[in-house]
Amino acid sequence: MAEERGKNLYDVLGLGGNTGCSADELKRAYRKTALRTHPDKKHEEDASPGEEGRGGPQGQQNEAFLEVQRAWAILSDPEERYRYDEELLRGGAGDELEDVVPDKVVTLSEMSHDRGQGSYGFECRCGDTFLIFENEKPETGTSVLLPCCSCSLVLCVNNE
Ligand SMILES: [Zn+2]
């Protein structure tokens, strides 16, 4: 689902999300993609043989080229890149769960422990049960978010 937000700037330069690449790699990737997407290929002096691409419809080409330019404008500036990387990290995988506000915070000891089933249960407001199994329980000192299987409520389970 997170992928729906679109390509990041590294993807635009064909780096496949390789955010840790060096400035040199970045430059090379930029040249390659800029060349490939250039609307009329005026800048062929930097072309390595065989990198000329096929040339698609003009409008589409133009857009791709502009996207590459935008990505490069940010990533070629170390300060801008640093800021962008930070943002990328913060917005990366897992942010959806962090945005969730739990309906309730309980400790493991407040949940009913079913030893036979090896699970901990806690009744949700909808009448269903939040269920967590022993092998999924949070380590001591941490907590996990437990979604209800019947409604959208989330329980925060603390292991103190
Ligand atoms: Zn529920």
Side-chain angles (χ1 to χ4, degrees):
M1 260 189 272
E3 275 94 72
E4 298 298 346
R5 272 180 235 164
K7 298 185 281 192
N8 71 40
L9 299 184
Y10 294 93
D11 292 333
V12 169
L13 295 186
L15 283 159
N18 179 14
T19 54
C21 67
S22 69
D24 246 20
E25 284 176 279
L26 206 62
K27 197 171 197 171
R28 241 176 299 141
Y30 161 68
R31 284 207 182 152
K32 231 185 330 185
T33 42
L35 214 60
R36 205 177 48 219
T37 55
H38 197 281
D40 49 28
K41 302 222 167 67
K42 271 183 215 146
H43 299 272
E44 274 183 298
E45 64 267 24
D46 284 336
S48 49
E51 282 294 354
E52 282 164 49
R54 262 168 271 151
Q58 277 284 339
Q60 218 180 316
Q61 281 274 350
N62 243 320
E63 215 170 284
F65 183 67
L66 288 177
E67 209 180 3
V68 169
Q69 296 307 311
R70 244 183 326 139
W72 173 242
I74 291 170
L75 296 182
S76 61
D77 183 326
E79 235 171 87
E80 290 268 358
R81 184 184 172 188
Y82 180 76
R83 227 173 307 154
Y84 177 76
D85 283 351
E86 292 263 287
E87 224 171 276
L88 207 62
L89 271 180
R90 247 179 300 137
D95 68 327
E96 283 138 67
L97 266 185
E98 275 165 37
D99 287 343
V100 171
V101 180
D103 180 53
K104 209 167 170 14
V105 181
V106 298
T107 60
L108 216 52
S109 55
E110 290 176 82
M111 300 178 78
S112 50
H113 191 183
D114 184 332
R115 276 168 221 278
Q117 203 182 201
S119 65
Y120 294 86
F122 194 88
E123 198 183 320
C124 176
R125 279 196 279 156
C126 75
D128 201 351
T129 308
F130 293 107
L131 211 58
I132 190 168
F133 288 92
E134 273 166 353
N135 59 358
E136 304 171 325
K137 72 181 188 189
E139 290 181 41
T140 311
T142 66
S143 60
V144 290
L145 293 173
L146 198 59
C148 174
C149 5
S150 299
C151 71
S152 60
L153 292 176
V154 172
L155 183 74
C156 179
V157 181
N158 249 318
N159 189 357
E160 292 173 329

